[in-house]
Structure formats: C-alpha cells, structure tokens
Amino acid sequence: MSSAKQIRSEFIDFFKGKSHRFVPSSPIVPIGDDSLLFANAGMNQFKDIFLGLVPPEYPRAVNSQKCLRVSGKHNDLEEVGKDTYHHTFFEMLGNWSFDDYFKAESIEWAWELLTKVWKIEPDRLWATVFAGDESDGLPADDEAAKLWTKVTPIPAERVLACGKKDNFWEMGETGPCGPCSEIHIDLGPDRCDMQDVPGHQCRVNSGCARYIELWNLVFIQYNRHPDGRLVPLSAKYVDTGAGLERIVAVLQNKKSNYDTDLFMPIIDSTGELTGHKYTAKLGNKTDNAFRVIADHIRSLVFAVTDGATPSNEGRGYVIRRILRRASRFGRELGMHEPFLYKLVPVVVDCLGGAFVEIKVRADYVSTVIESEEASFGRTLDRGIDIFDDAAERAQKSGKKIITGEDAFQLYDTYGFPLDLTQLMAAERGLEVDKVKFAELMEQQRERARAAQKSSSIMNLLGTPSLEKTDDSKKYEGDVCTTNILSIIDPRKKSNITTGSIGPTDVNMDFGLVLKETCFYAESGGQVGDSGIIKSATGDFLVETTEKFGESIIHWGKHAIGQFHTGQQVTATVDKGRTATKKNHTATHLLQWALQQVLGKSVAQQGSYVGPDYLRFDFTYPKALTAEQLKQVGDLVKEKIHADLPVAWKVLPKEQAQQLGAMALFGEKYGNEVRVVAVGAEGDERIQEAFSKEFCGGTHVERLGVIGGFKIIKEESISAGVRRITALTGQGLIDYLEKASVLVDELTQILKVPSEALVGRIGQLVQDNKELSKKLKSASKASGSDCLGQARELLDNCEKVGATSVIVGTLSAVTVEQAREAIDMLKKKAQSAAIVLGFEDDGRATLLAGMTNDLIEKGLSAGNIIKEIAPVVDGGGGGRPQMAQAGGKNPQKIGEALSKGAEIIKKALNA
C-alpha cells in the first residue's frame, strides 16, 4: 500500500514527466491579495498570471498547495467530523497550463494517471461537464463532453452534464473562473449514507458518500467583475485540483480519509492523551471529536506557521474559532486542560517532509496554540454560565425554546457549535430556535464576504489593462523625468483609463501610471512614497504609490492645470522619503540586534516602515526585560555611531540563501532577489556584512545618517508575537524635545533639579503606598464591623427546619465586605438562605447567597435577586450560590428584603 508521501510524489513526478515545473506551495495566508482570507485553491498564487498582470515564468506547473476552506463561499467548517471526507485544511494536488495546452491534454493525462499509474478501475470512474447557464449567457461545454469519449475509453453514458453549481468554478466573488469537468468515483452501494432519505437515488452529485469527486479540471477563460459581468480573458488556462486526502483514501482502500496515514498518527496520539479509543464510527460523539481534533490541529499548525494568529477580526478570528472548536470537542474526550499543542509534533512528523516550514516554526506554533487554549478554557466556563441563563429564560417564558440570539451568541463568542447547544438544551427538555440562528449566521457570512472584498483597484473596478512601469530609479534618486502611460479615473465603472484630465477635474482623485518612476510602491512593510508630478501644464499631488501587476500607480489629487497620456512629466518624491530610508535600515539593525540578544529563533512577523516611526513584529514567547531592551538598543546605536556602509545587490535566490541572507517568512520572491547588506564595503563584498536580508526597500548609504535610535514601546500583539516601536532621525529629536519639556515642567512642580526627579517621584510613590496601606487597614476595621453586623443577624435569624433564613440590612459597608459576610454566614450556619441589603451613595444594593444543600433542592440566589430587584427599581442576577442587584430606590430596601424572606420560606415549606 502506497503511503501519502509516495502518492504526493507520484502525482508531482507524473506531471514533471509532462514538462511541468514543480512550484512550491504558496503560504496559506495569501500575500498581496486582500480578496482572500486564506488560500483556498492551488490557483491562488497564479492569479496575476490568469489576469494577465504578469507573464508566466514557465508554461506548465505542478504542485501540492496548502489550502484552508473555512469562510465565504468555500466553507466546510461545520461539516468536519460528521462524515469521512470534509476537511478545513487539505492539500490540493494540481497541474496548470498558462496558455499552453487546454482541455484535451488535461482530460487525457488525468485519465492516464488515475487508471494507468494508480491502477484505479476505469469502470468506477464518471465525468461531468458544464451544462451551460442562461443567466450568465454561457453555452454548454460540448467540447469537453466530446473529448472525454475521444481521448479516453469512458462511455458517453458516464459523461454527465451538470449545472453552474457543480461545474462552473469560481475562486470567490470576483476573479478568474470558468467551466470545469469533474472526475467522480463510485465507491460502491455499501458506501451510500442516505438510504433512509425518502426518494434518494445514488448518483453523481446526489449528496451521498457513494459517489465522490476525485479531481476537478477547470478551464479558466473568464474574469468575474464586481458587477457580476463575465469578461473573457486574453488567454486560456488550465487549473486542475485533486484533494490529496481523498486520493489517498481511495488508493489505500480506506472507507474514510481519517483512516489514512495522513490522520491516523494524530488520532492515535489523541487517544493516548485522552485515554479514549477511536472506533471510526459516524454519528458517534466520541469519534466525531477525534475527527474534528485531527482536522483542526492540521489547520492550526499550517495557518499559524504561515503568519495567522488568533484574534477577534479577519483571519485571526477564523483561526480562533477553529482552535476553540477543537478545544471544545476535546472536552468530549475529557480534556479540560490545554492539550492541542501537544499534537503539533505529530503533525510535523506527518507533513514536515513535504512542508519544511512547519518544522522550522514548530516551537512557535506550540506556544501560540497553548496560550490560546488556556485562554479559551476560561471563556468556555463562562459560556456554560451564559447557557444556564439562556435556558432559565427559556423555561420561564413557557415556550421552552432557547432564542436564536442566545444560540448565536454561544456560537460566535464562546465557540459553542449549534449541535452542542441543541444537545444541552435537549437535556433540559428545551429546543433551539434554529431559524433565527440560521438567519444570524447568514448575516455573519455576508459580513465576512464583504470584509474579504478588497478595496484595491482590481476589485473595485475590474481588471484594467495597464502598461509596465520601470521603477528601478527608486534606488537612484528622488527625481526623474518620464512620460504618462495611463490615467486612471476611479469614478468610471468600466474602461477606467482616460486620455486626459483638465481644470474641471481639480481636487478629484486619479491614478497616474508612468513609463519610469523613482517612487517606491508600498511593499514589504514600507509605505508607498508621496510627492508631486509636474508637467508644463499642471501639478498632480501624489498621496501614495501602489504596485499593480507590473505597473506602478501613483494615487493622488489633480491640483492644477491639465495632463494627458504621452505627456512628459517630472516626478519628485517628498522629503519624507529620507526619514523612511533611515527607519528601514534601522529595522534591519533591530532584527540583527534582537537575534544577538534573544537568539536566532527570533523571526520577523511583520513591520511598518514610514517617515514617522518604525514598528517591528517578531516571534518571542515572553516580554523582554529592561536589560534585554537596553542591550538591543545599545547594539543598534553602536552600529549607527560606527557609520558603517550599506550595500545592495541583485542575486539569484539560491546564491543569496547560500550567503546567509534572511528572507521574510512567507514572502513571495522571484528567481532573483535584492540583498541589502549592512556593513559591507561595496556590492562585491556583501558576504562580509553582519546583516544580510532579502529586501526591495530603500535604504541609507551609511548608518551614521540615521542619527540615533530609541525603543519607545515593547508589547505583545498576540500569543508568541512581540512588537517593538522605535524612532530615528527627526522623529527621535521631536520625541526627545517633548520629553525635555516634560522634565522641565516636573522640576518646576516638584521643586527639585532634573537629576533628583527620579528619587523625588520614587518617594512620592512610596508615600502613596503607605497611605494606601492605612486606608486598607481602616477598610478592614470597617469590614470587621460588617462581619459583626452579619453575626448579629445570624444570632437573631428565623429558622425553617435546620436552615437559617438570614435577612437584614447592613450599614456603612462595601459590596466586597457584604460578599465576605455572606461567605462567612454560609460556613457558620452550614445550611442558610441569605438576603442582605444596604444603601450606598443614594442607591440600593441587594445580595443573596445559598448553601449547596438548598441549591440541590431548587433554590437559587440568582432567581431570588431577579424577583426582588424590581422592588428597588433595579435589576441584577448571578449564579445559584451568589447573586447581586442594584437599584435606584433605597427607600424600598426593607420591602425587597421582606419579599425575599417570603420567597425563601415558601420554598422551604413546600
């Protein structure tokens, strides 16, 4: 039986034998494409080629792409665990043609690999083709249908025409798309999982597990614009995708993807950690949990490796949901403490051979996952409390239905899948409003889809045809003379370029594409340049600069006069470029210094380089000490004061790597890279540099120009990722001048010289601490009085059987003291129902407490507080053991206490 590793290699080697170039997988977090949260198909990294924005470096390609489908149109999250074949993370085996071969070769080679190399029985295979779509004005793909029976032995009756839903592939709301031809396999009648569905017939695309898709051959020939129009592309492309997990299951003769060697090592390790055994059954709560955990840990390892971290928005929110879902299912297996991070090494063992990056970052990934798990453990406990409150409201309403809003809050905030909420509700004889929940889920999906749509020119206006810009002059100076190639008018909805702009367009936004430019387009953390473009007839103020394919767009406002295409202009970069250069070179120094102090495991996670300040994000598990920050700052300043040279050179990527040049993890590089070498005397001696990085940004020529360096903040931005903000040049001078003014003001206020400020402020802090201690002592004395009042209430309370009913008012106390009094009363009385009240600053405060024996009988402090709080014109709640309310009418505290006593005695006498 072939291993998954062998099967992956066989696919790649087959197409390499057909003159395809092997191209490594792009990161799962897309680079430079805001229209996608995650890479969801193999074609993502080739999107600019399909759009005609950049020429292909090779006519044919093959790879195994890391994919994650958890949001937007392609979202399999809620299906994971319930069946044998849905996943969030998966590998997409694919081959591509960039205006080279087309449908015939795609079909013929797919059949050859499946039936001759992998020996799948031809009689088990079916093919589908596009049946056409009237709404898009698209004809049926008769060409593909004829080719199937021409270049393969498949009979015509096993070539089916299907609609747009199944046989027209689109990456997202916009972008490249086209008809597709799918290859399905018949796994046999015993694999049908819908025998109990009335009227079900086993067939391709019927929804049952008997027929599953193995391979999708996409013939990309259109571009979907934001307005829904389909526009033919200038060339035709092939993009095929076969899920490795499904292929492996078929070739290893397994009934489930989860039974293959891609998942079983993870499942076995989960069993060892939890003490539970996986039985591979569907509909089994324990086995579902095993499958969810095995799937989700793979997603987490790859997503965090490629730069996603848990947060409350965008990609981070999706990753947080996946992790919390896996952690919640872990509780089905008795895991109440962090455990997912212990599975990271298992994933690395399974897949690290094909994707070496997960080996390199395994420790970092484990740190991020463990930290998030621990945080969610606390959140999940809170979620159970929220469910208890929702269930209580449902019981009291008489409808015995948990609202869709409550179910959605549990899902969205606390990671409770709908099925968990339904299960917990059923245990209490309740139902869940699934219709409202579904409505809220759809609203969330709409928000996610909207968030995914980029504000870039491509997604706002379609795909313009723009000429190539030579931007090499950005390294030579701040001024260049050139010509206008295109003028982009964002107000136009189609054919967005215009021939000229004039006086009526003053103060309107436009984009200019120049033949050459000295402006730097935003990239690699460095902001796009601003400045001015002048002609003999007008001025154009550039606000930012953006790279689009091979074009550089200068975005800004038409200030005066007129411009037209072909016109000669002078482009001048703003003086802020000099400050940006200083900050960019200082960022390189900072990364070098961090690795010297903290170790080589420090890796860049992101950066901001602008004229005002620099920001550097890096991997490190804990906050830096003051001493470490000082060491880092001193190292950077030492190099600046040495006024060492900075050189740069374009080299083949392999040669640059051999020289030890660092690359930004996950960044997209071509065959040649620009290496910035700090400390090298000229570009022929870059190997001598102490800092060498792949970098396309602009830099100073000597370090002394930077002038100075100061770290002004070090903070955490997510688990395992730290951020340093620092200043150089004029920004540092301005900062120090403000600090000097502050010191002068403090010396005047405190009447001490500047060198004595630290001692004087330290003494003030110490004096404040001593004053706080005295106040706490006074508070404790007051607390003792509170306990004394409580004891008196206990001594004089009414009893119902063995239970003390302690009800009364307190005076001159705080909420904390009253809570302590309730805890004390419960211990002393052993069985007690307590309701206390007091006035504080013109408001009423009510507290209730119950001992556990009374809670078991159905009494609840939370319920009592909810009943009596309206008496004082207030509201509140809490847990069965302790609850609290506030109100606006302290005059009615006595009445509220009487009502509380009445409720308690009635319950005890029932």
Side-chain angles (χ1 to χ4, degrees), residues 846-862:
L846 302 172
L847 293 99
M850 293 288 162
T851 50
N852 288 334
D853 63 313
L854 301 183
I855 294 171
E856 291 174 1
K857 294 178 180 179
L859 274 77
S860 166

Side-chain angles (χ1 to χ4, degrees), residues 169-331:
W169 195 91
E170 300 191 63
M171 185 180 66
E173 300 293 329
T174 61
C177 54
C180 62
S181 185
E182 295 180 339
I183 304 171
H184 295 252
I185 186 168
D186 181 356
L187 298 175
D190 62 316
R191 297 292 290 277
C192 177
D193 55 358
M194 300 179 69
Q195 296 98 330
D196 298 333
V197 177
H200 172 72
Q201 292 182 355
C202 288
R203 61 178 183 271
V204 171
N205 288 332
S206 66
C208 77
R210 174 177 173 176
Y211 293 89
I212 65 168
E213 175 199 334
L214 279 185
W215 204 338
N216 191 7
L217 315 179
V218 182
F219 309 121
I220 295 179
Q221 51 197 98
Y222 301 103
N223 181 38
R224 176 78 72 179
H225 281 236
D227 60 6
R229 289 179 300 121
L230 285 175
V231 177
L233 293 169
S234 59
K236 294 179 179 180
Y237 306 98
V238 170
D239 162 24
T240 85
L244 175 66
E245 291 74 11
R246 292 188 181 185
I247 294 285
V248 171
V250 169
L251 297 182
Q252 292 184 355
N253 196 28
K254 302 292 186 182
K255 291 188 175 181
S256 166
N257 295 358
Y258 293 95
D259 295 342
T260 68
D261 59 346
L262 288 168
F263 291 93
M264 281 311 299
I266 304 171
I267 289 173
D268 289 341
S269 294
T270 303
E272 292 172 7
L273 287 172
T274 64
H276 286 261
K277 186 174 178 61
Y278 180 64
T279 62
K281 294 178 181 176
L282 296 178
N284 178 299
K285 188 165 67 172
T286 299
D287 286 347
N288 285 0
F290 270 102
R291 287 187 287 269
V292 168
I293 291 165
D295 172 89
H296 287 10
I297 189 60
R298 291 177 7 129
S299 293
L300 293 168
V301 168
F302 279 92
V304 175
T305 290
D306 284 355
T309 52
S311 69
N312 286 328
E313 59 185 16
R315 295 182 179 110
Y317 175 65
V318 174
I319 295 306
R320 174 162 283 168
R321 278 184 59 207
I322 293 173
L323 192 149
R324 291 184 169 189
R325 193 169 187 268
S327 181
R328 207 282 305 163
F329 273 95
R331 294 202 170 200

Side-chain angles (χ1 to χ4, degrees), residues 556-600:
K557 281 186 166 54
H558 176 38
I560 191 171
Q562 59 187 19
F563 290 90
H564 60 81
T565 54
Q567 186 176 21
Q568 186 178 78
V569 294
T570 299
T572 305
V573 180
D574 185 83
K575 291 180 180 179
R577 151 80 78 84
T578 301
T580 301
K581 287 181 178 180
K582 293 177 182 180
N583 282 333
H584 202 154
T585 306
T587 302
H588 286 220
L589 293 177
L590 175 58
Q591 177 162 224
W592 166 81
L594 285 167
Q595 291 189 339
Q596 299 302 303
V597 175
L598 306 179
K600 295 296 183 182

Side-chain angles (χ1 to χ4, degrees), residues 43 45-56 98-99 175-177 220-223 231-237 458 462-468 548-551:
M43 63 81 64
Q45 67 171 308
F46 304 118
K47 183 176 176 181
D48 285 353
I49 296 175
F50 295 145
L51 290 171
L53 301 177
V54 297
F98 307 119
D99 205 22
C177 54
I220 295 179
Q221 51 197 98
Y222 301 103
N223 181 38
V231 177
L233 293 169
S234 59
K236 294 179 179 180
Y237 306 98
M458 182 176 71
T463 309
S465 177
L466 300 176
E467 298 89 339
K468 179 179 179 179
F548 184 72
E550 294 187 297
S551 304

Side-chain angles (χ1 to χ4, degrees), residues 790-791 793-807 822 824-836 849-851 853-854 857 859 864 900-901 904-905 908:
R791 289 191 192 95
L793 290 173
L794 173 61
D795 293 340
N796 296 293
C797 75
E798 184 177 348
K799 284 208 168 191
V800 177
T803 298
S804 299
V805 181
I806 308 167
V807 180
I822 288 177
M824 179 273 292
L825 290 171
K826 286 199 275 188
K827 288 179 182 177
K828 282 190 170 293
Q830 294 187 339
S831 177
I834 307 157
V835 185
L836 304 177
M850 293 288 162
T851 50
D853 63 313
L854 301 183
K857 294 178 180 179
L859 274 77
I864 289 173
I904 291 168
K905 286 186 281 186
L908 292 173

Side-chain angles (χ1 to χ4, degrees), residues 399-465:
K399 297 179 180 178
K400 294 195 172 185
I401 296 176
I402 290 178
T403 67
E405 289 83 358
D406 284 336
F408 182 76
Q409 182 191 15
L410 287 165
Y411 169 84
D412 194 47
T413 307
Y414 299 101
F416 281 45
L418 179 61
D419 56 357
L420 172 64
T421 303
Q422 289 176 294
L423 179 64
M424 294 171 65
E427 290 171 351
R428 302 193 185 198
L430 303 173
E431 295 181 356
V432 178
D433 184 350
K434 292 185 288 185
V435 174
K436 184 62 177 180
F437 176 86
E439 179 184 321
L440 294 169
M441 279 292 293
E442 182 56 31
Q443 290 175 11
Q444 184 194 64
R445 291 189 188 102
E446 285 294 332
R447 290 192 296 271
R449 283 192 283 266
Q452 282 182 244
K453 292 181 181 177
S454 169
S455 60
S456 73
I457 180 176
M458 182 176 71
N459 283 295
L460 286 174
L461 306 169
T463 309
S465 177

